[in-house]
Amino acid sequence: MSVPDYMQCAEDHQTLLVVVQPIGIVPEESFFRIYKRISAVSQVNVRDSQRVLYIRYRHHYPPENNEWGDFQTHRKVVGLITITECSSAKEWPQTFEKFHLQKEMYGSTLYDSRLFVFGLQGEIAEQPRTDVAFYPSYDECETVEKRIEDFIESLFIVLESKRLDRATDKSGDKIPLLCVPFEKKDFVGLDTDSRHYKKRCQGRMRKHVGDLCLQAGMLQDSLVHYHMAVELLRSVNDFLWLGAALEGLCSASVIYHYPGGTGGKVGPRRAQGGSLSAEAGNRHRPGALTSNGINADTSAEIGRAKNCLSPEDIIEKYKEAISYYGKYKNAGVIELEACVKAVRVLAIQKRSMEASEFLQNAVYINLRQLSEEEKIQRYSILSELYERIGFHRKSAFFKRIAAMQCAAPSIPEPGWRACYKLLLETLPGYSLSLDPQDFSKGTHRGWAAVQMRLLHELVYASRRMGNPALCVRHLSFLLQTMLDFLSDQEKKDVTQSLESYTAKCPGTMEVITLPDGLKLPPVPFTKLPIVKSVKLLNLPTSLRPHKVKSLLGQNVSTKSPFIYSPIIAHSRGEERNKKIDFQWVQGDVCEVQLMVYNPMPFELRVENMGLLTTGVEFESLPAALSLPAESGLYPVTLVGVPQTTGQITVNGYHTSVFGVFSDCLLDHLPGVKTNGCTVEVIPALPRVQISTSLPRSAHTLQPSSGDEISTNVSVQLYNGETQQLIIKLENIGTELLEKLEVTAKTVTKEKLYGDFLSWNLEDTLCQFPLKPGKIATFTVNIKVKLDFSCQENLLQDLSDDGISVSGLPLSSPFRQVVKPRVETKPLNPQESSKVGDFSHVKTLEAILNFKYSGGPGHAEGYYRNLALGLHVEVEPSVFFTRISTLPATSTRQCHLLLDVFNSTEHELTISARNNEDLILHAGECQRIAIQVDKFNFESFPESPADGAQLANAKQLEEERQQARGLEINSKLDICWKIPSLKREGEASVEGVLNQLVLEHLQLAPLQWDILVDGKVCDCDIVVTCQVGDPVPLQVKLTNWSKHSVGPFALTMMPYQDYQNGVHNYDLQDAITFVGSNTFYIDTVKPAKDSVYFGALLFLYTGDFYLNIKFHEDNCSRELPLSWLCLPSVHIRATEPVAPTKL
C-alpha cells in the first residue's frame, strides 16, 4: 500500500468502505450533488437487530490499497455505487458494460454493487432490477436514500454470513493463511503442517474475525477475538499481524471509551448508543464459539473489565503496534496511519506532549517518492494535528512548508493561490493577524523575525498571483506592525518596495475581500509619523467669539435642577468626548496642532495630511510636510473651515505616505494625549482688519485680563500735545459689519489730566452696515496732559545758584527763584548726581477695544473683540517750577505768577490769554504773570450721586480740587509752541496748584459793590463829579455763602494821596456827607443782597479817595479778612461847567 489516508481515525475500523464513482461523462456538480446525498446515509440500523452499521464513502480509492483488505477489513472495498448518464436505449448496453468493467476493478472484495442511471426513460427503465436504479433526472430522484439503505442491508447480509462462516468452528477444515501483498512470496515452500504455521494461521484468522465483528457492530465480540489474536500471534512472533491485532484492540477500546469519535467532527455516525446492549442480545447465539473451544459469549462485566483497554493502555498498545510496524519497510503507510490515529486519541485525552512524540515519529516515516500534491496533503494534515494538540506554532510551521510546496520549482505551474491561502492559515500560529489594531495593544506577541519572514512571503505570493493591491496591503502591514524590529536598512528596503508597488496601485483604506470571503482590514500608518498629542486650538484673540451676557445669566444650566451631579462629573472624565470651552466660527479657518515625530532613519515626506471630522460639514485644507530623520517632537498644524454650525468632533487625521492613503482615528491611538475633540461651531461673524496712521510699535502690551492685542502702534508726543490717530476698519470677511462699540482702557500709573483719548463714534456708524471689502474710518484724538510741576530735585538744583527774592520757606509758593541759562551748569546725570533728569521720557499705554458683530452670529448674540494697543512716549515740554499770586487793583482779580522752565532742546514760546508770547531758550526758566478773574468755587454744583459713590470726605475734596484746577486752567489758556518742529500743545497748572494759591484765586463769599453816581468803582476806574453837586453813594452786599451774615457798620473816611506816602485825612472843609458817614447794613441771608444809600458833596476840586473801615464788632471779627475786602474808590471833583449865555 503506497497511498496513505491521513484522515484515518480509530473509529474507521468499524466502517464498511463503499466507493462511489461516475461512469462516462457526468457533470462534476451533478455527481457531487448525488454523492453528498449518498454519503449522508452513513449509518443504518440493521433490521430486526439493535446493531448499527457504519459506512465510509470514498469517490476515489487506489486499487492497490484494496489488496490490504485481509490485513484490515476496513481497507477493503465491499460496495461499489456508480453514477452515469444515459439519454437513449442505444447507449444502455455500452453503459452497462462499463459498469461491469468497473466492478471487475474491485471484484475480489465486493459484497454488492449498484448502478444509478440518470436520464434514461422507457422500456428499459421500467424493467425491475435490484442492481440498477433509473431516474429521469438529477432533480427527480427522491428514492436515492432508500436505495442506499437497501444496498447497505445487502452488504450487512454478506458481512454477517462471512463473519459467521469465519467464526464458526469447522473441525477438519484447514484454516487458510491470510497474507499481505508483500508476504506472499515469503511463504512459498513453508511447512504448512507445522504447529508454528497453524498458530500463525489461527492468530491471523482470529484477528480477521475481530475486524468482521467490529464492522458488524459487535464490539465486545471483537475485543475477545483481538485479545486471542494477540496471544496467538505473540507466541509465534508474527509482528506485523500482532501490530494489526493490537491496533484493532485499540480501535475497539477507543470506540467504547469515546462514542463521540476522535476525528474532530461530531456527527450522528459517531454516536455509539446501544452498541453494547445490542451485542449482549447476540452473545447467546448458538455457534458463537471459537475454533479452539473458547466461548466468546462472555458477560458484559467481564468484557468491560478484561477485554476493553483503559485510556492509558490504549496509548501503550498503540506504541507497541507502531513499533512492530516499524520493523517492516513495506508497512510504512500502516505505521503512518497508526501514528495519526494515536494522535487523534491523545488529542481527546489532552496529552499533548505524548501526541507530539507520535507526530514526530510520523514525520520521519519514509514512504515511497511522494508527489508534490501528496507532500502538500501530508504537511497539511500534520499541521492540522499539531493544531489539535495545541502546538500552534508547530502547526503553522508545517502549514508554511505545505504552502512552499505549492510553489516548488519542480511544479510546472506553481499554485500561488493555494500557497497564499495556506500562508494565511499560518498567521494565527505565529501570533499574527491581519488586523493592525491587534498590535496596538500591549506588548508585541510572537517572534518578530519569523513574522517578518512570513509577511515577506505573503507579499511575494501576492505579487506572483498578480495582485498588487494585496502586495501593498501586506507591505503596509509589515511596515506598520514591525517597524520597531526592522533595521535601518530593512526600513529603507521595505519603503522602496512599497513605493514601487504603490506607483502601480496606491494603497487605500478599503477592505480587501479575498475569493474565499476572508477580509483584509485597512492598515493606516499611525506610526508614519507617530503622533503624540492632538490639541484643538482656539481662534486668534481678535477672532474669538464672545457671547453677549444676558441679564438672566448665561452660565446657569437648565439641563439639571441639581447643583452637582456625580453622573455628569463622571462623564466629564472621558477625555476624548469632553467638550472644549471655546468655540469655532463658521467660515473661519480653524486649527488643530499635532505633535509628531519621524521614527525613520531618513527624511519622511507626508503628503495630503488633513483632519477627519464628524458632526459638521468641514472643509479640510490638506498640508504637506517633510520631517527630518528620527526627528524629535515636531509641531504640525492642520487647518480646515467648518461650513455649517453645530457640534464638530475631530476623530483623527488622514495622510498619504509612500503612496498609501491612511485614515488614522484617535480611538485607535491609545497613547495620544488630547485636550478634548469636540467643539461648538457658532454662526458666521464678520472679520475686521485694522490699519492706522501711526507706525507699528515694538512694544507689546500685556493686559491684565490675559487677552492678546492684535496690533500695537506707538507715537512720541510732548507733554500737552494733541495728535489725531486715524484708524481704518476694513471688513475682510464675508458677512455685513452691523454693530460697533469702542471702549478705551488706560494701563499706566502716571496721573493724567483731561481726556487722554476721545472720539466721536457717530461719524463712523454713519458708514454702517459695512459690506465685505469696504473700509470705515475712525478718528481718535490723543491728548497727553501729565503733571507740569517740577520735581523736588529740580527745585533744589535751581535754588543752588538762583536769586532768592523772598525769605519764605522752600515749599512756599511765594519763594520766587530765577534760573540762569542752562549753559552755565551742565545737566548731565553722569556729571552730577543731584541734578534732575529734565529729559525723562514717560510712557503712557492704552488699549482700544473694538467690539463688533454682524451676520448670523449677531442674531445669535455673539460678537468679536479687536484690541489695538497704543504706546505713547511723552517727552517733557515745559515745567512750572514756582507758582504764586499777587493782588490786583481789583478785588475780583489777582495776578498769577508762574516760573516756566523749557526742558526741551529747542526754542519754545509760551502764550497765555491776554498775554504776549514769551520766548524761552532751551533749558531757560522765566517768570510769567497772568492777570485772572477770581473764581467763585462755591458755585460749582456737587452731584449727590457722585458724592455717594466716593469712599470718604477726602476723596470728595480731591474731586472738588480737581474740578477747581480744571476751571482755572481753562481760563488761563496757557499754550506752548516749538516753531522749529511745528509742534504745539497746552500747559496745565492743575498739578501745580496748592491750597494757598486756590484760596487767593477764590472769590470771597461776600461780594461788596460800591457805586458812585451809579458807576461801579473798582480797579483803576475814576468817577468824575462836579463841585457843589451831591454825588449818590451806594454800598451793596451780596451774600454767596451758606449762612446769614451781618449786621455790619462801615465808616467812610475820605483822604487825598500826595503820592509820597503821605495821606491827608483832614478834609472837613473839602468834603461833606449828606447824612451820616457811617453805613449800617442789616443781616443778609444766603443768596440775598442788601443796599445802603448815601451821598457826598465836594466843595473843592481835586482827586479824592475813600477809605472804608469796618467797625470792630462781633460780626466782623468772626469772618475772615478776605471776606471784608472792599474795592477802592477814586473820585475826581471838577469845576462846574458855566452855563452858556445866548
Side-chain angles (χ1 to χ4, degrees):
M1 190 168 68
S2 60
V3 181
D5 182 2
Y6 295 101
M7 302 306 294
Q8 283 267 325
C9 49
E11 54 267 28
D12 285 343
H13 282 250
Q14 68 178 342
T15 62
L16 297 175
L17 179 59
V18 175
V19 175
V20 182
Q21 290 184 336
I23 295 177
I25 300 175
V26 179
E28 183 178 353
E29 181 182 355
S30 301
F31 170 76
F32 281 104
R33 187 170 150 198
I34 300 299
Y35 177 79
K36 185 176 181 182
R37 291 179 62 183
I38 293 173
S39 59
V41 188
S42 59
Q43 67 183 47
V44 176
N45 293 317
V46 179
R47 191 179 305 171
D48 300 329
S49 171
Q50 294 184 355
R51 284 186 278 174
V52 181
L53 219 59
Y54 295 94
I55 312 299
R56 188 168 92 257
Y57 296 94
R58 292 289 183 269
H59 56 78
H60 175 73
Y61 194 74
E64 58 267 25
N65 284 11
N66 196 35
E67 297 175 1
W68 288 71
D70 289 337
F71 182 70
Q72 291 175 325
T73 57
H74 73 282
R75 301 181 186 277
K76 182 186 298 184
V77 179
V78 297
L80 174 66
I81 300 174
T82 54
I83 299 171
T84 186
E85 284 187 5
C86 186
S87 57
S88 64
K90 294 181 180 180
E91 299 176 3
W92 169 243
Q94 186 179 359
T95 302
F96 195 70
E97 182 65 26
K98 290 181 180 178
F99 172 55
H100 281 289
L101 292 175
Q102 193 76 10
K103 283 199 297 182
E104 290 177 2
M105 187 180 298
Y106 306 102
S108 60
T109 61
L110 283 181
Y111 293 172
D112 202 356
S113 60
R114 291 290 186 270
L115 172 63
F116 289 174
V117 181
F118 292 89
L120 184 61
Q121 296 180 358
E123 218 173 288
I124 299 174
E126 294 172 359
Q127 296 175 4
R129 301 180 64 122
T130 57
D131 59 342
V132 181
F134 295 94
Y135 297 102
S137 66
Y138 294 104
D139 298 323
E140 300 176 19
C141 53
E142 294 82 3
T143 62
V144 167
E145 288 80 1
K146 182 65 175 62
R147 294 264 187 173
I148 296 299
E149 291 178 4
D150 295 341
F151 171 65
I152 294 173
E153 286 188 4
S154 69
L155 294 180
F156 172 74
I157 294 170
V158 178
L159 172 66
E160 186 68 8
S161 65
K162 285 183 177 291
R163 183 188 70 80
L164 292 173
D165 181 60
R166 300 290 173 91
T168 304
D169 182 15
K170 296 179 181 180
S171 56
D173 291 349
K174 192 175 183 178
I175 301 174
L177 179 65
L178 300 178
C179 299
V180 294
F182 70 85
E183 285 181 325
K184 292 178 181 179
K185 61 179 181 299
D186 297 333
F187 290 148
V188 176
L190 283 179
D191 182 8
T192 58
D193 294 329
S194 66
R195 187 175 178 182
H196 187 277
Y197 181 82
K198 288 181 180 180
K199 276 194 173 184
R200 186 192 296 262
C201 292
Q202 288 177 358
R204 292 189 178 189
M205 183 58 69
R206 186 64 62 186
K207 185 264 172 195
H208 180 67
V209 173
D211 288 348
L212 294 176
C213 289
L214 192 59
Q215 286 183 312
M218 302 173 68
L219 181 61
Q220 289 296 345
D221 287 5
S222 67
L223 285 169
V224 173
H225 288 296
Y226 284 138
H227 274 292
M228 294 177 62
V230 169
E231 293 175 4
L232 289 169
L233 295 171
R234 196 186 298 276
S235 65
V236 295
N237 293 331
D238 192 356
F239 296 117
L240 180 63
W241 284 78
L242 175 57
L246 290 170
E247 186 181 356
L249 185 60
C250 292
S251 299
S253 301
V254 167
I255 292 169
Y256 171 75
H257 284 293
Y258 308 107
T262 62
K265 298 178 182 177
V266 178
R269 72 177 295 271
R270 299 297 178 197
Q272 298 291 333
S275 60
L276 291 178
S277 60
E279 291 154 15
N282 296 328
R283 243 176 242 121
H284 301 284
R285 285 193 318 277
L289 297 174
T290 65
S291 56
N292 292 333
I294 300 175
N295 187 359
D297 185 18
T298 55
S299 68
E301 291 298 326
I302 297 174
R304 289 194 187 95
K306 295 183 178 179
N307 300 330
C308 186
L309 301 175
S310 67
E312 292 77 14
D313 289 340
I314 291 173
I315 303 306
E316 291 303 320
K317 298 302 180 186
Y318 262 126
K319 289 182 180 178
E320 186 179 353
I322 292 170
S323 67
Y324 293 149
Y325 291 150
K327 297 178 181 293
Y328 299 89
K329 181 178 180 182
N330 294 322
V333 173
I334 304 297
E335 181 186 1
L336 176 61
E337 290 182 357
C339 288
V340 171
K341 294 169 192 174
V343 168
R344 295 187 190 278
V345 174
L346 285 167
I348 296 291
Q349 296 178 357
K350 302 187 183 309
R351 295 161 67 179
S352 301
M353 293 305 296
E354 292 178 68
S356 67
E357 293 176 4
F358 279 94
L359 276 177
Q360 194 68 23
N361 181 63
V363 170
Y364 293 110
I365 294 175
N366 290 321
L367 301 178
R368 61 170 177 81
Q369 187 68 29
L370 299 178
S371 66
E372 300 297 339
E373 185 177 348
E374 289 171 336
K375 289 180 182 177
I376 294 169
Q377 184 186 13
R378 181 181 187 183
Y379 294 132
S380 298
I381 293 300
L382 285 172
S383 170
E384 178 190 330
L385 292 173
Y386 271 116
E387 183 70 28
R388 289 195 62 185
I389 64 175
F391 283 39
H392 303 295
R393 192 164 58 237
K394 196 84 167 180
S395 169
F397 172 77
F398 283 103
K399 186 83 72 174
R400 179 175 164 271
I401 293 178
M404 295 296 102
Q405 207 66 46
C406 293
S410 58
I411 300 179
E413 295 181 2
W416 287 108
R417 292 189 182 278
C419 173
Y420 179 79
K421 184 176 182 299
L422 289 172
L423 284 175
L424 287 180
E425 295 175 4
T426 65
L427 296 180
Y430 290 116
S431 301
L432 266 176
S433 76
L434 296 174
D435 190 354
Q437 292 306 313
D438 296 339
F439 287 81
S440 62
K441 304 168 186 174
T443 56
H444 188 90
R445 293 181 63 246
W447 293 347
V450 178
Q451 291 170 341
M452 287 190 289
R453 175 69 180 271
L454 184 59
L455 289 172
H456 276 296
E457 290 169 351
L458 279 172
V459 172
Y460 185 74
S462 303
R463 183 173 70 83
R464 295 301 299 266
M465 285 166 55
N467 193 333
L470 275 181
C471 298
V472 172
R473 181 59 51 88
H474 290 307
L475 263 181
S476 302
F477 185 86
L478 170 63
L479 195 58
Q480 168 69 16
T481 59
M482 303 293 164
L483 186 65
D484 297 337
F485 305 100
L486 293 172
S487 65
D488 289 351
Q489 186 59 43
E490 287 173 333
K491 290 177 182 177
K492 293 179 182 179
D493 295 341
V494 171
T495 53
Q496 288 175 0
S497 301
L498 184 58
E499 286 179 320
S500 66
Y501 287 129
T502 53
K504 304 173 184 176
C505 179
T508 65
M509 288 297 293
E510 297 177 0
V511 175
I512 297 178
T513 303
L514 299 177
D516 58 356
L518 183 65
K519 297 182 182 297
L520 298 184
V523 182
F525 278 157
T526 58
K527 293 184 178 180
L528 297 173
I530 296 176
V531 176
K532 281 297 182 184
S533 67
V534 176
K535 182 180 181 181
L536 276 65
L537 301 182
N538 199 350
L539 294 173
T541 309
S542 59
L543 296 179
R544 291 175 188 171
H546 304 274
K547 183 74 172 177
V548 176
K549 293 183 179 179
S550 169
L551 294 177
L552 297 177
Q554 293 289 336
N555 296 328
V556 179
S557 174
T558 58
K559 294 181 180 179
S560 173
F562 302 105
I563 296 174
Y564 169 76
S565 170
I567 300 174
I568 297 174
H570 184 267
S571 65
R572 288 174 185 166
E574 295 294 334
E575 190 179 60
R576 292 223 168 86
N577 297 327
K578 72 179 181 182
K579 187 178 175 184
I580 301 174
D581 59 356
F582 57 78
Q583 294 93 22
W584 284 351
V585 180
Q586 174 189 359
D588 281 9
V589 175
C590 305
E591 298 179 334
V592 176
Q593 187 183 70
L594 280 66
M595 297 302 292
V596 305
Y597 73 88
N598 172 23
M600 304 300 278
F602 49 84
E603 184 181 28
L604 181 66
R605 294 182 54 82
V606 183
E607 300 174 355
N608 195 34
M609 192 172 189
L611 296 173
L612 298 174
T613 61
T614 56
V616 165
E617 184 181 344
F618 187 80
E619 180 189 356
S620 178
L621 305 177
L625 57 141
S626 180
L627 298 174
E630 296 178 347
S631 67
L633 281 179
Y634 190 85
V636 174
T637 302
L638 302 180
V639 300
V641 180
Q643 303 295 330
T644 55
T645 60
Q647 299 282 346
I648 184 171
T649 301
V650 176
N651 297 323
Y653 59 93
H654 62 82
T655 59
S656 175
V657 181
F658 306 129
V660 177
F661 295 91
S662 302
D663 291 344
C664 305
L665 301 178
L666 298 183
D667 290 340
H668 297 162
L669 302 174
V672 172
K673 296 180 180 179
T674 176
N675 63 337
C677 297
T678 301
V679 69
E680 182 184 0
V681 179
I682 68 163
L685 287 167
R687 294 198 302 273
V688 171
Q689 179 175 297
I690 281 185
S691 58
T692 68
S693 57
L694 296 180
R696 286 185 175 270
S697 172
H699 302 274
T700 302
L701 296 184
Q702 296 294 337
S704 58
S705 62
D707 294 336
E708 296 180 6
I709 296 175
S710 57
T711 308
N712 290 275
V713 296
S714 63
V715 63
Q716 182 270 328
L717 298 176
Y718 282 104
N719 191 10
E721 190 176 2
T722 301
Q723 182 165 334
Q724 280 191 342
L725 168 61
I726 299 175
I727 301 173
K728 292 182 179 180
L729 305 172
E730 182 180 0
N731 185 359
I732 60 173
T734 57
E735 304 294 334
L736 283 175
L737 180 57
E738 303 175 33
K739 185 179 179 181
L740 177 66
E741 295 180 12
V742 183
T743 57
K745 181 180 179 182
T746 304
V747 284
T748 182
K749 296 180 181 179
E750 302 292 340
K751 186 174 182 181
L752 282 165
Y753 297 92
D755 293 330
F756 177 37
L757 301 175
S758 60
W759 61 82
N760 183 8
L761 192 57
E762 296 299 326
D763 296 339
T764 304
L765 293 180
C766 292
Q767 307 171 50
F768 279 39
L770 195 64
K771 295 181 180 179
K774 300 296 182 181
I775 298 176
T777 304
F778 178 64
T779 303
V780 177
N781 295 314
I782 306 173
K783 187 175 184 179
V784 290
K785 284 173 63 178
L786 300 178
D787 191 0
F788 284 83
S789 63
C790 189
Q791 301 169 357
E792 186 66 28
N793 55 0
L794 179 59
L795 293 177
Q796 180 67 34
D797 178 68
L798 292 174
S799 66
D800 288 343
D801 48 5
I803 302 172
S804 177
V805 295
S806 167
L808 296 175
L810 182 65
S811 59
S812 170
F814 290 101
R815 184 174 181 222
Q816 301 168 5
V817 180
V818 178
K819 170 72 180 174
R821 292 293 294 270
V822 73
E823 287 83 354
T824 61
K825 186 173 183 180
L827 298 178
N828 193 331
Q830 280 76 16
E831 296 178 12
S832 175
S833 61
K834 71 174 184 176
V835 178
D837 186 5
F838 305 152
S839 61
H840 175 65
V841 177
K842 294 184 177 180
T843 300
L844 297 181
E845 293 179 332
I847 300 173
L848 276 169
N849 286 308
F850 296 86
K851 179 178 173 182
Y852 65 94
S853 184
H858 177 54
E860 294 291 330
Y862 288 96
Y863 66 91
R864 278 180 166 149
N865 197 23
L866 188 61
L868 173 66
L870 180 61
H871 181 87
V872 182
E873 293 182 350
V874 184
E875 295 189 16
S877 52
V878 295
F879 284 125
F880 294 119
T881 60
R882 290 288 183 273
I883 181 169
S884 61
T885 57
L886 288 177
T889 53
S890 170
T891 58
R892 299 189 182 183
Q893 291 182 333
C894 71
H895 293 283
L896 186 65
L897 303 180
L898 295 168
D899 289 353
V900 185
F901 176 74
N902 177 12
S903 64
T904 71
E905 298 177 353
H906 308 277
E907 188 178 89
L908 180 145
T909 61
I910 288 287
S911 63
R913 184 175 294 179
N914 302 324
N915 278 48
E916 295 183 357
D917 291 350
L918 177 65
I919 299 177
L920 290 176
H921 297 285
E924 183 180 8
C925 182
Q926 291 195 28
R927 179 169 296 165
I928 181 172
I930 307 173
Q931 182 175 322
V932 293
D933 295 331
K934 290 187 177 182
F935 300 90
N936 184 12
F937 295 137
E938 297 297 333
S939 64
F940 288 169
E942 295 181 8
S943 172
D946 293 343
Q949 291 176 2
L950 296 177
N952 48 43
K954 184 178 179 181
Q955 292 182 352
L956 177 61
E957 183 60 30
E958 289 179 358
E959 292 291 329
R960 293 185 62 192
Q961 187 163 342
Q962 185 176 353
R964 293 171 184 170
L966 186 63
E967 177 71 13
I968 294 171
N969 195 65
S970 64
K971 295 293 178 64
L972 295 178
D973 197 16
I974 303 174
C975 298
W976 56 263
K977 184 182 294 184
I978 303 178
S980 60
L981 300 179
K982 295 183 180 180
R983 298 172 74 168
E984 59 184 15
E986 301 177 11
S988 171
V989 297
E990 295 176 56
V992 195
L993 298 172
N994 54 37
Q995 189 62 36
L996 187 59
V997 173
L998 288 174
E999 289 179 2
H1000 290 174
L1001 291 176
Q1002 183 174 1
L1003 200 59
L1006 299 184
Q1007 184 175 330
W1008 300 88
D1009 294 315
I1010 299 179
L1011 287 79
V1012 178
D1013 197 13
K1015 297 179 181 178
V1016 178
C1017 293
D1018 199 5
C1019 292
D1020 298 330
I1021 298 175
V1022 180
V1023 180
T1024 304
C1025 63
Q1026 294 182 359
V1027 175
D1029 292 340
V1031 180
L1033 179 64
Q1034 299 178 31
V1035 177
K1036 180 180 179 182
L1037 171 61
T1038 304
N1039 182 12
W1040 292 110
S1041 71
K1042 297 179 181 180
H1043 307 283
S1044 298
V1045 294
F1048 298 104
L1050 296 87
T1051 300
M1052 304 290 181
M1053 299 177 63
Y1055 69 92
Q1056 281 186 315
D1057 188 359
Y1058 294 154
Q1059 302 297 323
N1060 58 358
V1062 178
H1063 292 173
N1064 180 19
Y1065 285 92
D1066 189 13
L1067 299 176
Q1068 293 86 352
D1069 299 333
I1071 301 175
T1072 182
F1073 282 88
V1074 180
S1076 174
N1077 67 336
T1078 301
F1079 289 40
Y1080 294 94
I1081 299 177
D1082 294 331
T1083 301
V1084 182
K1085 295 182 178 180
K1088 301 295 183 179
D1089 55 37
S1090 178
V1091 183
Y1092 184 86
F1093 295 94
L1096 285 173
L1097 180 65
F1098 291 91
L1099 304 178
Y1100 295 99
T1101 61
D1103 287 336
F1104 300 93
Y1105 297 89
L1106 291 181
N1107 185 7
I1108 306 172
K1109 289 188 177 181
F1110 283 87
H1111 291 196
E1112 291 189 3
D1113 52 11
N1114 291 334
C1115 292
S1116 61
R1117 257 193 243 108
E1118 291 175 358
L1119 298 176
L1121 291 177
S1122 60
W1123 288 31
L1124 304 177
C1125 182
L1126 278 75
S1128 62
V1129 180
H1130 184 185
I1131 305 172
R1132 182 172 294 163
T1134 59
E1135 291 289 343
V1137 180
T1140 304
K1141 296 182 178 180
L1142 298 174

